[in-house]
Amino acid sequence: MESSYRSRLADLPVELKCEIAELPYQKGMRPSTKKNKIIELLSKYSIDFTELGTGTNRFIVKFEGYALKMALDNEGVADNKQEWVMSGPLEKGRAIAYEISKGGNLLMAEYAGAFQSYSEMYIYKNEILDILSFWNSKGFLLGDVGLTRVNYANWGLLPTGKPVCIDYAYIFPANMNLFECECSSKNIAAIDDFTGYKCSKCGKEYQDRELRMRISNQTRLELFNSVDGIEMRLPQEIHTVDDKYMKTNVVVNPDVISDDEVALRLAQMDVNNEGNGTWYKI
């Protein structure tokens, strides 16, 4: 089946993308300085954006209704590639990663407003635990996404009002043989809030960080090579793809939705008890 695809990364000037891609090589610059440099570059090329946040490794803005994640260092590049790799296998409960630059410096993802506090995250406790339980049942190593105060900013709300994980760069596939205790047992299970793991044989507990430290940054980058995608050079192109990849329930909606409109729609959904409507472009 032939389908038309829109590339928002291809909309950005090549010169801008090259200058952003230079930043991970600037070893003497602090993350805050790199962030300010990106803001300067976006303004220089007249890119309309809204700042969403800055992590240790990435700077994120809202661009044309989507989350544009820009790497500040090599770890940020690996984070972008990791989310691109894992977006498909996770199946649900994550902000979809739509498009990535060849070098991994820029990632275009579904926009969801980040939670501003743990108490806000906790309102959606049951939904989040259901998502984490589903991922755990698939055998994924869940890093930095468990239900705890330190992870609230890694989750957010879609305009539909559904919670999703917006930073899943430390979730790893089940085939990496990560679940092995120092007692040689491989019976390691996640604890109730999915912030760590416990060996059923000897009782030793592990933080998710301890298990994922077994993975080198090079191994993370190699994961990227096993994922197929459609190569695009123009803002809009037509490609032939297998029917199984085509979504049949997509509703065509505006690309750009203001936060005020989101708040109004959610309020209307609460009042009218119509919380199952889909109106965000996926």
Side-chain angles (χ1 to χ4, degrees):
M1 175 183 291
E2 284 194 342
S3 184
S4 178
Y5 291 84
R6 169 80 184 278
S7 169
R8 283 168 176 78
L9 290 183
D11 270 342
L12 296 172
V14 173
E15 295 81 2
L16 168 64
K17 290 183 282 190
C18 289
E19 291 189 65
I20 291 175
E22 288 178 12
L23 292 176
Y25 296 100
Q26 301 293 336
K27 303 301 182 184
M29 293 176 66
R30 298 170 62 88
S32 59
T33 305
K34 292 181 180 181
K35 166 201 155 181
N36 291 335
K37 179 63 176 177
I38 291 177
I39 291 175
E40 178 185 313
L41 290 171
L42 292 173
S43 299
K44 172 184 172 182
Y45 288 95
S46 302
I47 304 301
D48 188 20
F49 71 95
T50 302
E51 183 175 343
L52 296 179
T54 309
T56 306
N57 313 115
R58 295 186 289 181
F59 176 51
I60 306 169
V61 301
K62 189 177 182 182
F63 170 66
E64 294 191 357
Y66 294 82
L68 173 58
K69 303 184 178 187
M70 293 163 282
L72 300 176
D73 53 26
N74 289 334
E75 187 72 14
V77 171
D79 287 353
N80 277 347
K81 290 187 173 184
Q82 184 79 11
E83 290 186 6
W84 170 257
V85 168
M86 296 305 300
S87 180
L90 289 177
E91 297 183 40
K92 66 178 185 178
R94 80 291 185 233
I96 301 170
Y98 288 114
E99 186 179 9
I100 192 169
S101 61
K102 277 204 166 183
N105 297 91
L106 300 98
L107 177 75
M108 195 70 73
E110 190 173 21
Y111 169 71
F115 289 131
Q116 299 302 303
S117 67
Y118 177 65
S119 58
E120 185 181 2
M121 176 190 189
Y122 201 78
I123 294 172
Y124 299 90
K125 170 188 173 183
N126 292 336
E127 294 97 320
I128 290 172
L129 288 177
D130 283 345
I131 292 168
L132 293 170
S133 180
F134 173 77
W135 290 344
N136 183 63
S137 71
K138 299 292 185 180
F140 297 120
L141 171 62
L142 307 179
D144 288 358
V145 294
L147 191 68
T148 177
R149 293 183 182 278
V150 298
N151 291 338
Y152 74 81
N154 293 339
W155 289 80
L157 281 184
L158 291 174
T160 57
K162 294 182 179 180
V164 290
C165 185
I166 59 176
D167 187 342
Y168 46 95
Y170 295 101
I171 297 181
F172 291 88
N175 61 356
M176 299 189 71
N177 298 317
L178 301 171
F179 301 100
E180 183 171 346
C181 181
E182 60 185 25
C183 73
S184 299
S185 171
K186 293 189 177 182
N187 294 318
I188 297 180
I191 61 178
D192 290 345
D193 60 5
F194 299 96
T195 59
Y197 293 83
K198 184 176 182 178
C199 177
S200 61
K201 181 178 180 182
C202 71
K204 180 176 174 60
E205 294 190 5
Y206 294 87
Q207 293 295 312
D208 55 49
R209 185 179 301 272
E210 294 179 75
L211 295 180
R212 72 169 190 259
M213 282 177 63
R214 299 173 179 179
I215 306 168
S216 69
N217 201 48
Q218 182 60 37
T219 300
R220 289 183 69 198
L221 292 173
E222 288 172 357
L223 288 173
F224 180 71
N225 297 329
S226 62
V227 180
D228 293 327
I230 298 171
E231 182 178 356
M232 295 185 65
R233 297 182 179 275
L234 301 175
Q236 190 149 351
E237 297 178 7
I238 294 177
H239 292 268
T240 301
V241 296
D242 193 300
D243 287 359
K244 68 181 180 182
Y245 295 116
M246 303 304 297
K247 298 177 182 177
T248 58
N249 60 344
V250 172
V251 179
V252 178
N253 297 294
D255 288 337
V256 182
I257 303 171
S258 71
D259 290 332
D260 288 340
E261 186 178 352
V262 170
L264 177 61
R265 285 291 188 93
L266 292 178
Q268 290 173 338
M269 285 159 56
D270 287 339
V271 171
N272 297 326
N273 194 27
E274 296 178 351
N276 60 346
T278 300
W279 55 280
Y280 187 76
K281 183 177 180 182
I282 60 174

